[in-house]
Amino acid sequence: MSKGILLVNLGSPDSTEVEDVRTYLREFLMDGKVIDSPWLIRKMIVELFILPKRPINSAEAYRKIWTKDGSPLIIYSKILQQKVQEQLEIPIGLAMRYKNPSIEFGMQELYDKGVRDMLVVPLYPQYTMSTTETVADKVLEIQKKKFKDVHVNFLKAFYKHPDYVKVLGDSIKENLPENYDKLLFSYHGIPERHDKKALKAAKASKLPIETYRNQCLETTKLVAEYLQLPEDKYYTSFQSRLGKDPWIQPYTDETLEHFPEKGVKNLAVCTPAFVADCLETLEEISMEGKEEFLKAGGEYFTYIPCLNDRQDWINTLVKWFQGWENN
């Protein structure tokens, strides 16, 4: 069977117009793996409590990071696709879990090129139900409806893969200030109940599934070991919580506010739950997070970019894909 690869990232609104942001948020938040309430309750939460006001604030936030070519996440994902394609002969497709280009569009493009053996690559280092799992669900749903003769595989979570740890560690090392007080690893947060569900599923299936929190802590530990960081020089926190339910802790915003009173004046922050810079990294951390930290008494704030289109990251993906292609 002819092989091909589909890269999948989160997605972005088509523009910074409020209605486009509202459409994107509706699709994203109505996903039962993101807000895991029964459909009717989820519909009420999204339509009555989130969508009336949140798209206005989100649109304003997107405008702060938007470029003349559009969403940074989409731009970096396209560059990544193009540069990986330059080193491989098999077709490399690109899709977003929400909005455009859609997963169905990406699968159709590969199918039209003769691909019948597809490796789907969720561009998330850590596995969660609201990222990797929902990508797999959507891909398999479309495969059963439209591409029954296509064989689908998924790249496993790579949060502790030595190649990924090295690339991430090198990217941090290149951007780490010489006299930093602390390096903060800020991961995207999830509700605590998501991790509890993961534990329950792991026990039921007898599979070695790690909770998302433990995956993140493992990434931090391995990168810190690679960089030979003393234990008092780094810390892990979780950002982007939504609603009143408890999310995994410690929270990034509270951490940024409290660091200065603990003597942390020169702070560096990386965001290893993302491989491409986006709203959550560029606006929430490098803009809002910086403002929170400096307002609380911090003096220097360094945001360390995601892997984006780094050549060593591209080379790593090519190496992995060649291993799959030659299997």
Side-chain angles (χ1 to χ4, degrees):
M1 290 187 291
S2 180
K3 292 190 171 186
I5 292 167
L6 183 65
L7 306 175
V8 184
N9 215 326
L10 178 69
S12 176
D14 291 335
S15 78
T16 60
E17 294 298 319
V18 173
E19 281 310 308
D20 280 341
V21 175
R22 180 174 281 111
T23 300
Y24 168 76
L25 288 176
R26 179 178 285 112
E27 182 182 355
F28 173 49
L29 297 173
M30 281 304 297
D31 186 335
K33 293 293 173 69
V34 175
I35 297 181
D36 54 329
S37 303
W39 185 88
L40 185 58
I41 294 175
R42 184 165 70 252
K43 185 74 172 173
M44 291 176 61
I45 292 171
V46 172
E47 297 293 343
L48 298 180
F49 297 99
I50 299 178
L51 292 185
K53 293 184 179 180
R54 189 176 179 88
I56 299 172
N57 296 330
S58 294
E60 184 179 343
Y62 273 110
R63 289 186 195 110
K64 294 177 183 178
I65 67 161
W66 214 256
T67 75
K68 62 181 180 62
D69 296 316
S71 160
L73 180 139
I74 303 292
I75 293 168
Y76 282 125
S77 297
K78 286 181 177 179
I79 295 173
L80 185 72
Q81 173 200 15
Q82 292 164 4
K83 291 192 174 182
V84 170
Q85 183 67 82
E86 288 171 2
Q87 297 190 49
L88 294 173
E89 293 185 2
I90 60 173
I92 309 296
L94 176 66
M96 299 293 142
R97 175 59 185 88
Y98 310 104
K99 294 305 294 176
N100 299 306
S102 68
I103 287 177
E104 182 172 341
F105 177 87
M107 293 179 74
Q108 185 69 58
E109 270 201 328
L110 290 177
Y111 190 86
D112 292 344
K113 293 178 181 178
V115 172
R116 298 297 181 268
D117 188 3
M118 193 178 299
L119 177 65
V120 177
V121 181
L123 290 170
Y124 309 108
Q126 299 83 19
Y127 178 98
T128 72
M129 62 183 282
S130 56
T131 55
T132 316
E133 191 172 320
T134 187
V135 167
D137 288 352
K138 191 65 175 179
V139 167
L140 294 175
E141 174 192 323
I142 294 169
Q143 183 261 344
K144 289 175 183 176
K145 288 181 180 178
K146 291 197 64 177
F147 308 107
K148 294 181 180 180
D149 56 337
V150 174
H151 180 256
V152 175
N153 281 301
F154 295 90
L155 184 73
K156 294 181 180 179
F158 47 87
Y159 66 97
K160 62 179 178 180
H161 195 292
D163 294 341
Y164 167 70
V165 170
K166 182 179 186 306
V167 171
L168 179 59
D170 288 344
S171 74
I172 292 171
K173 185 177 182 180
E174 290 173 14
N175 292 278
L176 199 60
E178 185 175 349
N179 298 315
Y180 76 100
D181 296 321
K182 192 84 73 173
L183 169 63
L184 179 64
F185 291 76
S186 179
Y187 296 84
H188 197 287
I190 61 171
E192 286 182 356
R193 66 178 181 277
H194 284 201
D195 256 359
K196 291 176 182 177
K197 284 187 175 183
L199 276 176
K200 187 176 180 181
K203 291 177 181 178
S205 64
K206 297 182 180 179
L207 292 173
I209 300 174
E210 282 284 352
T211 64
Y212 173 70
R213 188 175 192 277
N214 284 345
Q215 292 175 62
C216 295
L217 292 174
E218 182 70 6
T219 299
T220 296
K221 180 177 80 73
L222 292 173
V223 172
E225 289 174 354
Y226 175 73
L227 295 175
Q228 298 181 322
L229 302 179
E231 284 191 18
D232 64 344
K233 297 289 278 187
Y234 64 91
Y235 192 74
T236 297
S237 62
F238 300 89
Q239 63 184 83
S240 310
R241 68 187 188 275
L242 174 68
K244 297 181 180 179
D245 289 344
W247 284 43
I248 53 177
Q249 298 185 43
Y251 300 138
T252 293
D253 55 353
E254 294 181 357
T255 299
L256 292 172
E257 291 174 3
H258 295 151
F259 264 165
E261 66 189 32
K262 297 178 180 179
V264 178
K265 301 293 186 179
N266 188 344
L267 177 67
V269 184
C270 62
T271 52
F274 307 90
V275 297
D277 275 310
C278 55
L279 185 73
E280 287 80 3
T281 65
L282 297 173
E283 196 273 340
E284 184 179 351
I285 297 299
S286 71
M287 293 180 187
E288 284 194 1
K290 178 180 180 179
E291 185 178 341
E292 290 172 0
F293 177 71
L294 297 180
K295 187 176 180 180
E299 296 175 2
Y300 302 98
F301 183 100
T302 301
Y303 171 67
I304 298 174
C306 292
L307 298 179
N308 294 325
D309 57 348
R310 286 176 59 94
Q311 190 60 50
D312 52 359
W313 171 227
I314 292 161
N315 294 342
T316 294
L317 289 175
V318 169
K319 173 185 171 183
W320 293 350
F321 298 163
Q322 286 175 332
W324 174 77
E325 181 186 6
N326 298 326
N327 238 347

